[in-house]
Amino acid sequence: MESICPERTGGSFVCAGCGRGIGDRYLLLALDRYWHQNCLRCSCCQTTLANEGSTCYVKADQILCRRDYLRLYGRNGVCSTCCQSIPASEMVMRCRDRVYHVACFQCGCCHRTLTRGDRYYLIGGQLLCEPDFEAISKTGHTVQLPQNPIAVVTCSHQQGQV
Protein backbone atom coordinates (compact mmCIF):
# COMPACT_ATOMS: atom_id res chain seq x y z
CA MET A 1 0.00 0.00 0.00
CA GLU A 2 1.46 3.31 -1.07
CA SER A 3 0.37 6.86 -0.27
CA ILE A 4 0.46 9.23 -3.22
CA CYS A 5 -0.08 12.97 -3.44
CA PRO A 6 -2.40 13.61 -6.45
CA GLU A 7 -0.90 17.05 -7.20
CA ARG A 8 2.42 15.37 -7.95
CA THR A 9 0.94 12.81 -10.34
CA GLY A 10 -0.86 15.49 -12.35
CA GLY A 11 -4.24 13.82 -12.76
CA SER A 12 -7.55 13.09 -11.16
CA PHE A 13 -8.26 9.66 -9.79
CA VAL A 14 -11.37 7.57 -9.22
CA CYS A 15 -11.63 5.60 -5.98
CA ALA A 16 -11.89 1.83 -6.44
CA GLY A 17 -13.93 1.63 -3.24
CA CYS A 18 -16.70 4.20 -3.75
CA GLY A 19 -16.32 5.13 -7.43
CA ARG A 20 -16.10 8.86 -6.69
CA GLY A 21 -13.28 11.16 -7.69
CA ILE A 22 -10.44 11.60 -5.25
CA GLY A 23 -9.87 15.24 -4.39
CA ASP A 24 -8.09 14.52 -1.12
CA ARG A 25 -4.52 15.65 -0.65
CA TYR A 26 -3.40 12.02 -0.31
CA LEU A 27 -4.69 8.80 -1.80
CA LEU A 28 -3.70 5.16 -1.49
CA LEU A 29 -2.49 2.82 -4.20
CA ALA A 30 -3.27 -0.85 -3.62
CA LEU A 31 -3.85 -3.63 -6.14
CA ASP A 32 -2.94 -1.17 -8.91
CA ARG A 33 -6.03 0.87 -8.04
CA TYR A 34 -6.49 4.17 -6.22
CA TRP A 35 -8.46 4.56 -2.98
CA HIS A 36 -9.60 7.30 -0.63
CA GLN A 37 -7.90 6.81 2.70
CA ASN A 38 -11.25 5.96 4.29
CA CYS A 39 -12.33 3.58 1.50
CA LEU A 40 -9.50 1.06 1.66
CA ARG A 41 -10.83 -1.35 4.28
CA CYS A 42 -10.22 -4.90 5.41
CA SER A 43 -12.67 -7.28 3.70
CA CYS A 44 -13.29 -9.10 7.00
CA CYS A 45 -13.41 -6.59 9.85
CA GLN A 46 -13.89 -3.40 7.80
CA THR A 47 -11.12 -1.57 9.65
CA THR A 48 -9.68 1.35 7.68
CA LEU A 49 -6.30 0.13 6.43
CA ALA A 50 -4.80 3.62 6.21
CA ASN A 51 -4.79 3.57 10.02
CA GLU A 52 -3.07 0.17 10.14
CA GLY A 53 0.29 1.29 8.71
CA SER A 54 1.73 0.89 5.25
CA THR A 55 0.94 -2.78 4.70
CA CYS A 56 -2.15 -4.62 3.59
CA TYR A 57 -2.47 -8.24 2.53
CA VAL A 58 -4.22 -9.66 -0.52
CA LYS A 59 -5.37 -13.26 -0.81
CA ALA A 60 -8.29 -14.86 -2.65
CA ASP A 61 -9.39 -11.46 -4.00
CA GLN A 62 -9.69 -10.08 -0.47
CA ILE A 63 -7.87 -7.08 0.96
CA LEU A 64 -7.01 -7.88 4.57
CA CYS A 65 -5.50 -6.24 7.62
CA ARG A 66 -2.56 -8.04 9.22
CA ARG A 67 -4.65 -9.52 12.04
CA ASP A 68 -7.27 -11.05 9.72
CA TYR A 69 -4.64 -12.28 7.26
CA LEU A 70 -2.84 -14.13 10.06
CA ARG A 71 -6.13 -15.42 11.47
CA LEU A 72 -7.22 -16.81 8.09
CA TYR A 73 -3.94 -17.84 6.47
CA GLY A 74 -1.18 -17.78 9.09
CA ARG A 75 0.51 -21.00 10.12
CA ASN A 76 1.90 -21.95 13.48
CA GLY A 77 5.27 -23.64 13.58
CA VAL A 78 7.76 -25.18 15.96
CA CYS A 79 11.07 -23.61 16.98
CA SER A 80 14.09 -25.68 15.92
CA THR A 81 15.91 -24.85 19.17
CA CYS A 82 13.36 -25.13 21.97
CA CYS A 83 10.70 -27.22 20.16
CA GLN A 84 7.97 -24.89 21.46
CA SER A 85 5.14 -23.63 19.27
CA ILE A 86 5.61 -20.37 17.35
CA PRO A 87 2.36 -18.48 16.77
CA ALA A 88 1.86 -17.17 13.23
CA SER A 89 1.84 -13.59 14.53
CA GLU A 90 5.29 -13.84 16.14
CA MET A 91 8.53 -12.64 14.58
CA VAL A 92 10.84 -15.49 13.54
CA MET A 93 14.34 -16.12 12.24
CA ARG A 94 14.97 -18.62 9.46
CA CYS A 95 17.96 -20.66 8.37
CA ARG A 96 17.43 -22.96 5.42
CA ASP A 97 14.34 -25.04 6.27
CA ARG A 98 14.50 -24.28 10.01
CA VAL A 99 12.47 -21.70 11.93
CA TYR A 100 13.41 -20.15 15.29
CA HIS A 101 12.00 -17.79 17.91
CA VAL A 102 14.09 -14.61 17.70
CA ALA A 103 15.44 -15.26 21.23
CA CYS A 104 16.31 -18.89 20.36
CA PHE A 105 18.35 -17.98 17.26
CA GLN A 106 21.67 -18.13 19.07
CA CYS A 107 25.09 -19.72 19.00
CA GLY A 108 25.12 -23.21 20.50
CA CYS A 109 28.48 -22.55 22.23
CA CYS A 110 28.40 -19.02 23.65
CA HIS A 111 24.62 -18.55 23.47
CA ARG A 112 25.00 -15.11 21.90
CA THR A 113 21.84 -14.15 20.03
CA LEU A 114 22.50 -13.98 16.30
CA THR A 115 21.01 -10.98 14.56
CA ARG A 116 20.53 -9.73 11.04
CA GLY A 117 23.86 -9.54 9.22
CA ASP A 118 25.75 -11.87 11.58
CA ARG A 119 27.75 -14.63 9.95
CA TYR A 120 27.16 -18.08 11.35
CA TYR A 121 27.52 -21.77 10.59
CA LEU A 122 24.82 -24.41 10.75
CA ILE A 123 26.54 -27.66 11.61
CA GLY A 124 24.71 -30.83 12.48
CA GLY A 125 21.59 -28.81 13.19
CA GLN A 126 23.41 -26.49 15.60
CA LEU A 127 24.05 -22.80 14.99
CA LEU A 128 27.58 -21.54 15.66
CA CYS A 129 28.70 -17.92 15.51
CA GLU A 130 31.73 -17.32 13.33
CA PRO A 131 34.18 -16.69 16.23
CA ASP A 132 33.21 -19.95 17.96
CA PHE A 133 33.39 -21.91 14.72
CA GLU A 134 36.88 -20.53 14.06
CA ALA A 135 37.98 -21.34 17.64
CA ILE A 136 36.71 -24.92 17.26
CA SER A 137 38.45 -25.25 13.90
CA LYS A 138 41.79 -24.06 15.36
CA THR A 139 41.70 -26.60 18.17
CA GLY A 140 41.72 -29.43 15.64
CA HIS A 141 38.29 -30.82 16.38
CA THR A 142 36.84 -32.57 13.38
CA VAL A 143 33.67 -30.94 12.20
CA GLN A 144 31.64 -32.19 9.26
CA LEU A 145 30.88 -29.23 7.05
CA PRO A 146 28.08 -28.97 4.54
CA GLN A 147 29.09 -27.71 1.09
CA ASN A 148 28.19 -24.10 1.89
CA PRO A 149 28.60 -23.82 5.66
CA ILE A 150 28.63 -20.05 6.01
CA ALA A 151 25.32 -18.34 5.82
CA VAL A 152 24.61 -14.67 6.30
CA VAL A 153 21.48 -13.92 8.24
CA THR A 154 19.48 -12.07 5.63
CA CYS A 155 15.95 -13.17 6.34
CA SER A 156 15.90 -11.17 9.56
CA HIS A 157 12.55 -10.99 11.28
CA GLN A 158 9.49 -12.33 9.48
CA GLN A 159 5.93 -12.45 10.58
CA GLY A 160 3.16 -14.82 9.81
CA GLN A 161 5.14 -17.21 7.65
CA VAL A 162 6.35 -19.81 10.06
Side-chain angles (χ1 to χ4, degrees):
M1 180 170 58
E2 185 178 341
S3 182
I4 296 174
C5 182
E7 292 87 18
R8 292 188 183 161
T9 59
S12 62
F13 301 94
V14 175
C15 177
C18 69
R20 292 182 284 141
I22 302 173
D24 301 344
R25 179 173 177 168
Y26 294 99
L27 57 91
L28 300 174
L29 175 63
L31 299 174
D32 295 324
R33 297 184 291 175
Y34 298 100
W35 305 78
H36 288 108
Q37 289 184 340
N38 289 330
C39 290
L40 185 60
R41 295 180 175 270
C42 174
S43 299
C44 289
C45 69
Q46 299 302 309
T47 190
T48 304
L49 294 176
N51 298 333
E52 294 290 312
S54 62
T55 303
C56 64
Y57 299 84
V58 177
K59 184 111 177 189
D61 293 326
Q62 292 183 316
I63 297 174
L64 302 166
C65 66
R66 178 179 172 271
R67 187 184 48 141
D68 283 328
Y69 177 83
L70 292 175
R71 182 178 58 81
L72 294 170
Y73 302 106
R75 299 178 296 162
N76 289 342
V78 175
C79 177
S80 294
T81 298
C82 71
C83 299
Q84 297 296 312
S85 177
I86 303 174
S89 60
E90 189 172 321
M91 299 286 236
V92 298
M93 297 294 282
R94 293 181 176 278
C95 177
R96 297 193 179 144
D97 61 341
R98 296 170 177 263
V99 182
Y100 303 84
H101 292 109
V102 173
C104 293
F105 196 72
Q106 56 184 252
C107 175
C109 288
C110 68
H111 303 289
R112 181 178 65 88
T113 300
L114 300 168
T115 60
R116 184 177 181 169
D118 287 347
R119 294 172 63 92
Y120 65 90
Y121 293 78
L122 178 64
I123 301 185
Q126 185 172 359
L127 295 166
L128 294 175
C129 65
E130 193 169 40
D132 283 337
F133 176 79
E134 289 173 357
I136 290 170
S137 297
K138 287 178 184 176
T139 62
H141 288 93
T142 304
V143 179
Q144 290 285 46
L145 296 177
Q147 280 191 318
N148 187 11
I150 297 178
V152 178
V153 181
T154 55
C155 300
S156 70
H157 304 303
Q158 296 182 350
Q159 286 184 314
Q161 299 181 11
V162 177

